[in-house]
Amino acid sequence: AWWALGPPGPPGMVLKAFFPTCCVSADSGLLVGRWVPEQSSAVVLAVLHFPFIPIQVKQLLAQVRQASQVGVAVLGTWCHCRQEPEESLGRFLESLGAVFPHEPWLRLCRERRGTFWSCEATRRQAPTAPGAPGEDQVMLIFYDQRQVLLSQLHLPTVLSDRQAGATTASTGGLAAVFDTVARSEVLFRSDRFDEGPVRLSHWQSEGVEASILAELAKRASGPICLLLASLLSLVSAVSACRVFKLWPLSFLGSKLSTCEQLRHRLEQLTLICSTRKAENPAQLMRKANTVASVLLDVALGLMLLSWLHGRSRIGHLADALVPVADHVAEELQHLLQWLMGAPAGLKMNRALDQVLGRFFLYHIHLWISYIHLMSPFVEHILWHVGLSACLGLTVALSLLSDIIALLTFHIYCFYVYGARLYCLKIHGLSSLWRLFRGKKWNVLRQRVDSCSYDLDQLFIGTLLFTILLFLLPTTALYYLVFTLLRLLVVAVQGLIHLLVDLINSLPLYSLGLRLCRPYRLAGSEPWRPEATGLCSSALGFSGLGSLNCRPGAKRGKVTGTRSQQDGCFTILARLVSNS
């Protein structure tokens, strides 16, 4: 959204002046900012008001340049004509160009209560080329300084002015604006309540945004994070001990979901309590998302803990767990008895069917005995499991997944037995099929070679092939049934793990900023002004106002009508996200 005023004129050099909307109503003074020669842009950061002493202004700018590594300078003059006469103020502002020399020298003026604007860019040295235009077009672009400063995802691709010469190819138009405003935070620390020699107007000139609770939290966060980091480093050192790398403990640690989640939670807490400063906004955003995810996880865990310990729900769950396990065992017994008969009218091998059925029924009998043996301790186990919710809902869900794996361990055993028996028969049939074709598997060269067999070998191979082929349907049926049961258990555990991963990886902080303060996620895109009086752009700004002013031969001025100016200022300065 652009507003461009003025005749098209010849295609001269276009100077872009980024002016903060918070300074639109400021009193007259000097324009303090940074000149970006690679983009032919002037980024205005503040307005310096009268009266002032030039040496004190230069000292202030030197301090800002040293602290922020930004080439801050006086770019020109700002004239807000209210009651003072324009001619006397104009002559005084013209004389300041000799005190603060800068090339080019900007002159911005707002007259008659904001109805008329004028902007100029003058140069002391006239162009030497015969075909070079003697006039520059000035594009005045308004931006919201607060929203640009609080944007988190603009990349610091623009370095200091000393290093800018080596990286001009990688810098973008808006990246220079973002980086200039972000690194000039030192200039915004003063407000109108400070009793200093210099008075500035910027986005915090009416008072620095702060809170007593926020300041106390900042003061206390350093020692607390240092203490927690020490404790977490101690826990990490203990977990890295060689005792935990032995076979039984290392095997359990790699198979249990609770151990995996505890390791992930330790990494999250180490990242949160780290005293190392984030190198870029992306790392800061990642840390903020981790903090929000951990807080949500702990809050949901405490809610689950309060629900479990209220109205003796743990006792009710313990009383219902053993009957549910007995019911599942009875259903498995009915299923095995159905398989030992004629399932779905299929003709099974009765001898193998009876052997497999009794083998699995014996395992179910052992499992029921184990459940009744553990029934007196179920309530105490559930009580301690409920306490794990203090570490977060994800820890409790991971523990629930491990409990489901333990309760369905007999189903896992059935699946392993059926899979091994089925694979054994498949491999046997494939080997005997190669025997019929006069081939064999060469183990040394890992290939199939030709081989001649005698009559006895062919007879025994044919006999074994026939036996395995007629026993395959019975084995395949048991394998299919127990595979479906195993897939059902894996599906339930997969849903639990999906919920755990969702809580761990959900960018809550970024989503909150996207909904409430989208300008803090703003990025930039390349843009190009046209040579005519109108301009088109693909900026990361939405709803920006701009004036395209082309001065006359001496001191020309282009003014707009009141309706145009009012329409321009109604769409000013709201930076939205392009991410």
Side-chain angles (χ1 to χ4, degrees):
W2 289 89
W3 281 85
L5 299 178
M13 182 178 179
V14 179
L15 303 180
K16 299 176 286 293
F18 292 87
F19 192 78
T21 56
C22 56
C23 299
V24 170
S25 302
D27 296 333
S28 301
L30 298 178
L31 299 176
V32 178
R34 178 195 177 193
W35 172 254
V36 185
E38 296 83 9
Q39 307 294 335
S40 299
S41 303
V43 184
V44 179
L45 299 174
V47 175
L48 180 66
H49 299 293
F50 308 111
F52 56 83
I53 301 176
I55 188 63
Q56 294 179 347
V57 175
K58 294 181 179 180
Q59 291 177 358
L60 174 64
L61 297 180
Q63 293 175 1
V64 174
R65 282 193 293 266
Q66 183 179 3
S68 61
Q69 298 297 320
V70 177
V72 180
V74 176
L75 303 179
T77 57
W78 160 252
C79 178
H80 188 188
C81 300
R82 295 178 178 177
Q83 296 179 356
E84 61 270 21
E86 179 184 0
E87 296 182 358
S88 60
L89 182 61
R91 288 193 300 268
F92 175 71
L93 294 178
E94 290 178 0
S95 63
L96 293 176
V99 181
F100 303 98
H102 187 270
E103 191 77 14
W105 183 261
L106 296 178
R107 296 179 182 176
L108 303 181
C109 184
R110 181 186 178 189
E111 305 173 4
R112 300 181 185 179
R113 298 180 182 179
T115 305
F116 298 98
W117 284 71
S118 65
C119 47
E120 296 181 11
T122 60
R123 298 179 182 271
R124 293 188 178 184
Q125 298 180 357
T128 57
E135 304 169 357
D136 292 336
Q137 293 183 358
V138 180
M139 183 187 304
L140 186 60
I141 304 171
F142 299 95
Y143 73 97
D144 194 315
Q145 201 170 61
R146 177 178 180 272
Q147 295 180 0
V148 172
L149 183 65
L150 296 179
S151 299
Q152 296 289 336
L153 293 185
H154 57 269
L155 299 177
T157 55
V158 181
L159 303 177
S160 61
D161 293 342
R162 299 177 183 177
Q163 305 173 354
T167 58
T168 54
S170 62
T171 58
L174 284 183
V177 180
F178 285 148
D179 187 66
T180 300
V181 179
R183 290 192 293 149
S184 303
E185 194 174 358
V186 182
L187 190 64
F188 306 139
R189 293 178 181 175
S190 61
D191 51 34
R192 64 186 182 90
F193 302 102
D194 295 337
E195 297 179 357
V198 178
R199 187 168 62 93
L200 298 172
S201 286
H202 45 76
W203 73 284
Q204 291 196 127
S205 57
E206 295 298 326
V208 179
E209 291 186 356
S211 172
I212 297 178
L213 296 178
E215 292 297 327
L216 291 177
K218 289 180 181 179
R219 298 276 182 170
S221 60
I224 293 177
C225 288
L226 185 60
L227 178 61
L228 292 178
S230 302
L231 295 176
L232 291 174
S233 62
L234 180 61
V235 173
S236 301
V238 172
S239 61
C241 185
R242 292 185 178 180
V243 177
F244 295 97
K245 295 182 180 180
L246 297 178
W247 175 75
L249 296 179
S250 62
F251 178 77
L252 292 176
S254 61
K255 297 300 181 181
L256 295 180
S257 302
T258 307
C259 297
E260 294 290 339
Q261 181 60 30
L262 289 177
R263 279 195 292 268
H264 183 69
R265 180 52 49 84
L266 182 61
E267 294 176 358
Q268 288 180 331
L269 294 179
T270 304
L271 176 64
I272 293 173
C273 300
S274 176
T275 56
R276 183 180 180 182
K277 188 177 180 180
E279 297 179 357
N280 49 50
Q283 292 184 0
L284 182 62
M285 188 70 64
R286 176 172 174 265
K287 192 172 185 178
N289 287 328
T290 305
V291 172
S293 176
V294 171
L295 290 179
L296 176 65
D297 191 10
V298 173
L300 294 177
L302 293 178
M303 293 174 59
L304 177 63
L305 181 63
S306 62
W307 181 82
L308 288 176
H309 288 272
R311 298 181 181 180
S312 64
R313 289 189 176 91
I314 292 182
H316 296 315
L317 289 176
D319 296 337
L321 184 61
V322 176
V324 169
D326 292 337
H327 179 70
V328 172
E330 291 177 0
E331 292 295 332
L332 286 176
Q333 287 178 347
H334 294 318
L335 177 63
L336 289 174
Q337 291 174 359
W338 177 71
L339 291 176
M340 292 171 63
L346 297 177
K347 181 64 176 179
M348 311 297 292
N349 187 277
R350 183 170 181 79
L352 180 61
D353 196 7
Q354 293 294 325
V355 170
L356 292 178
R358 291 175 183 178
F359 176 75
F360 291 128
L361 285 175
Y362 178 71
H363 276 72
I364 293 177
H365 176 70
L366 291 178
W367 182 252
I368 293 175
S369 302
Y370 171 73
I371 290 295
H372 286 281
L373 182 65
M374 294 293 296
S375 58
F377 309 99
V378 171
E379 184 174 358
H380 298 284
I381 293 174
L382 291 179
W383 189 84
H384 288 89
V385 168
L387 291 180
S388 66
C390 297
L391 299 176
L393 180 62
T394 55
V395 178
L397 291 177
S398 301
L399 198 56
L400 176 62
S401 176
D402 293 335
I403 292 175
I404 293 176
L406 291 176
L407 292 178
T408 58
F409 184 71
H410 55 301
I411 297 178
Y412 176 74
C413 292
F414 295 165
Y415 163 73
V416 171
Y417 296 152
R420 290 298 177 87
L421 188 59
Y422 179 76
C423 291
L424 180 62
K425 289 192 175 183
I426 292 296
H427 285 295
L429 288 174
S430 62
S431 299
L432 294 173
W433 176 250
R434 285 194 295 266
L435 184 142
F436 283 145
R437 296 184 298 157
K439 297 181 181 298
K440 71 172 183 178
W441 175 255
N442 193 334
V443 182
L444 296 178
R445 297 190 177 184
Q446 296 294 314
R447 66 182 185 183
V448 178
D449 295 334
S450 299
C451 181
S452 59
Y453 299 97
D454 54 13
L455 186 60
D456 295 337
Q457 291 175 337
L458 291 174
F459 175 74
I460 295 175
T462 305
L463 185 61
L464 292 177
F465 182 83
T466 306
I467 293 173
L468 292 179
L469 183 62
F470 283 103
L471 293 180
L472 182 63
T474 305
T475 307
L477 182 61
Y478 276 88
Y479 172 66
L480 178 62
V481 171
F482 292 134
T483 300
L484 294 177
L485 292 177
R486 177 60 183 168
L487 286 177
L488 180 61
V489 176
V490 170
V492 175
Q493 290 182 313
L495 292 177
I496 296 176
H497 293 164
L498 182 63
L499 183 58
V500 171
D501 293 338
L502 179 63
I503 297 176
N504 287 331
S505 60
L506 189 64
L508 295 175
Y509 183 74
S510 300
L511 291 176
L513 288 182
R514 185 64 182 87
L515 295 176
C516 300
R517 293 185 177 183
Y519 56 84
R520 298 194 66 175
L521 301 176
S524 61
E525 296 180 7
W527 62 292
R528 176 182 59 84
E530 293 182 355
T532 60
L534 299 177
C535 296
S536 61
S537 173
L539 276 173
F541 293 85
S542 176
L544 292 180
S546 66
L547 296 175
N548 190 359
C549 301
R550 181 175 178 270
K554 296 183 180 179
R555 189 180 181 276
K557 177 175 63 177
V558 178
T559 58
T561 61
R562 183 177 183 85
S563 60
Q564 290 172 326
Q565 294 293 329
D566 292 342
C568 174
F569 283 99
T570 56
I571 60 172
L572 284 180
R574 191 175 67 89
L575 187 61
V576 299
S577 170
N578 285 326
S579 58

